[in-house]
Amino acid sequence: MAENKALVIFSGGQDSTTCLLLALEEYGAGKVEALSFRYGQRHSIELEKAAAIARDLGVKQTLLDMPQLSAVTRNALMDGSAAIEAPAGEVPNTFVDGRNALFLLYAAIHAKAQGIRDIIIGVCETDFSGYPDCRDVFVKSMNVSLNLAMDYNFNIRTPLMYLTKKETWALADKLGALDFVRERTHTCYLGIDGGCGECPSCILRERGLAEYLAERAGSLKN
């Protein structure tokens, strides 16, 4: 019989770390596991941050290698020589075809083996980079497919799906972890510790943080 436990797909970035902290709040210590992937990212810093965060939070982390992905697709998130491009109205060249589908598939396989039904992933279609596999309709379709494929009732949760980046920072603050998320996580596409401040991911992160801090300051004044 499956326990009331959660498996968080965990990259070490702002969103997945916020999801991990939320899961610990909701499920409790010892009831949350993290699953990370090495799939040929152009930098290793995010996984280094993930390992350190999981260790310090006392969360069991499993790291899966998926080197085959780099053999079948090309994108700027996996090619360190490619310039980051995000043309208006187009999918950015940092989009990794099939990545979240593979993440959810392997997460489901791992979760079933551990007797876990709840899988948490920090995708969002409100303030995001335009990736099609971050949409709610995709996640729901994967949930149905995985349930059918494995004859197991998975529950894929997306707590950030309709939150703006400002609201995601607010959630981290509500969890008492604003500074933790701000200081310990990595989001930059270029792999620069502390962020480059110029790539689309850094811009979304810092704009959301500035908006939240300004709103919070205004509330305190009132």
Side-chain angles (χ1 to χ4, degrees), residues 52 61 82 89 93 121 123 143 146 149 158 167 172 175 185 205:
Q61 181 195 28
N93 68 346
I121 183 170
V123 294
N143 203 152
L146 292 171
T158 55
E167 291 167 333
L175 293 167
T185 65
R205 173 185 171 121

Side-chain angles (χ1 to χ4, degrees), residues 46-80:
E46 197 172 49
L47 287 176
E48 293 168 3
K49 298 280 188 181
I53 291 168
R55 181 188 66 242
D56 292 348
L57 292 177
V59 173
K60 177 185 175 183
Q61 181 195 28
T62 300
L63 176 62
L64 291 184
D65 283 305
M66 298 197 309
Q68 68 274 18
L69 195 57
S70 62
V72 295
T73 188
R74 290 287 180 272
N75 54 78
L77 204 60
M78 299 166 67
D79 181 356

Side-chain angles (χ1 to χ4, degrees), residues 32-208:
V32 178
E33 296 187 19
L35 181 64
S36 304
F37 297 90
R38 183 186 292 114
Y39 58 90
Q41 301 97 309
R42 64 191 288 165
H43 58 76
S44 62
I45 185 171
E46 197 172 49
L47 287 176
E48 293 168 3
K49 298 280 188 181
I53 291 168
R55 181 188 66 242
D56 292 348
L57 292 177
V59 173
K60 177 185 175 183
Q61 181 195 28
T62 300
L63 176 62
L64 291 184
D65 283 305
M66 298 197 309
Q68 68 274 18
L69 195 57
S70 62
V72 295
T73 188
R74 290 287 180 272
N75 54 78
L77 204 60
M78 299 166 67
D79 181 356
S81 65
I84 305 294
E85 298 177 355
E90 298 181 23
V91 176
N93 68 346
T94 50
F95 174 61
V96 182
D97 282 314
R99 181 180 62 170
N100 282 345
L102 285 172
F103 284 2
L104 287 168
L105 172 61
Y106 279 99
I109 295 169
H110 182 67
K112 184 178 179 181
Q114 302 300 313
I116 299 172
R117 294 194 186 277
D118 291 357
I119 299 171
I120 299 175
I121 183 170
V123 294
C124 167
E125 66 172 46
T126 303
D127 249 356
F128 74 131
S129 298
Y131 296 167
D133 62 359
C134 288
R135 295 175 298 172
D136 185 59
V137 65
F138 161 74
V139 176
K140 282 184 167 56
S141 69
M142 279 295 294
N143 203 152
V144 172
S145 295
L146 292 171
N147 289 3
L148 291 171
M150 299 186 203
D151 193 24
Y152 193 77
N153 291 323
F154 295 106
N155 175 33
I156 301 178
R157 297 185 55 199
T158 55
L160 309 184
M161 179 58 72
Y162 297 112
L163 300 186
T164 64
K165 273 291 182 284
K166 180 186 75 173
E167 291 167 333
T168 300
W169 283 113
L171 175 58
D173 199 11
K174 182 179 179 181
L175 293 167
L178 179 66
D179 289 338
F180 183 91
V181 173
R182 185 177 185 178
E183 296 167 5
R184 299 292 301 274
T185 65
H186 179 85
T187 303
C188 180
Y189 285 151
L190 299 180
I192 297 173
D193 196 3
C196 69
E198 298 178 356
C199 73
S201 188
C202 281
I203 290 171
L204 277 174
R205 173 185 171 121
E206 294 307 316
R207 184 175 66 201

